[in-house]
Amino acid sequence: MTTPPAAATAVPAPPRWAVRAAHLAAVTALPSGLWRLGLVAGWHGGYTEAGYRAMGFSGWGAVWPVFLSLSTEALALLTIGLVRPWGTVPPRWMPFLGGRPVDPRAVVAAASLGAAGLALLWTPFAAWWAMPGADMTPRGHFLVGFLYLPTVAWAPLLAAVTVSYHRRHRRHPATATATATATATATATTAPRPRAA
């Protein structure tokens, strides 16, 4: 088991509610993503025959729904970083950021913008059943509304976990000292020692 860097261990542990909220946020996009992947695999997913053909889910038409499903779920999984040590110091295998402490202010800003964007994008799906569904069967239109409904919760869950992340990093000034100490120690141990004459 890898020992977390000093900067990560200096931050207080997240409250239990934040851990649960982060894991819940990470799966909010999963039902709709699986639905899109099913469409690419040939399942009509609630569309009428004509509606399914009009969507063009074969060939290059399959690239967008697959990309959207995978990238959306990857972004949702990033929420877990707000309650894990790798949200303070990314693992070493990550390009550009690995092994170096991140600026909590940048993390909070990015997560806050993400929450605002998600609210604008997904909140309208709460009114899915009031939207027309001419290219879908009545049962399919009803079902798809339930598959997209969890995404509405993504924004408030991410916002709540972001507030928790901000509070934990703001209330613990030792983080900055631990970060500086860890960086100085790493530099000292990797620097070549001069040879005696």
Side-chain angles (χ1 to χ4, degrees):
M1 184 175 178
T2 305
T3 303
T9 56
V11 180
R16 187 174 297 178
W17 69 262
V19 175
R20 290 175 177 170
H23 284 81
L24 190 57
V27 296
T28 53
L30 193 57
S32 58
L34 292 175
W35 174 73
R36 285 190 295 269
L37 293 178
L39 294 173
V40 172
W43 177 52
H44 285 199
Y47 281 102
T48 62
E49 184 69 34
Y52 183 81
R53 284 200 306 269
M55 294 300 291
F57 290 114
S58 59
W60 284 105
V63 173
W64 172 246
V66 170
F67 171 78
L68 182 61
S69 297
L70 297 179
S71 59
T72 301
E73 186 54 37
L75 288 173
L77 287 169
L78 284 178
T79 310
I80 297 176
L82 298 173
V83 295
R84 301 292 298 154
W86 56 267
T88 301
V89 181
R92 294 190 179 277
W93 54 263
M94 285 188 69
F96 307 112
L97 298 174
R100 294 187 297 179
V102 295
D103 184 353
R105 293 169 298 181
V107 174
V108 170
S112 299
L113 287 173
L118 290 170
L120 290 173
L121 181 64
W122 297 118
T123 302
F125 278 89
W128 169 265
W129 295 280
M131 300 177 188
D135 54 351
M136 306 189 85
T137 66
R139 183 180 295 178
H141 187 260
F142 185 77
L143 172 66
V144 171
F146 276 108
L147 294 176
Y148 270 92
L149 194 57
T151 59
V152 178
W154 187 0
L157 287 170
L158 174 58
V161 177
T162 302
V163 169
S164 173
Y165 179 92
H166 171 67
R167 287 176 176 171
R168 289 188 297 117
H169 285 75
R170 183 191 62 187
R171 291 178 181 174
H172 206 278
T175 304
T177 305
T179 300
T181 304
T183 305
T185 303
T187 304
T189 55
T190 56
R193 295 181 179 179
R195 295 183 179 179

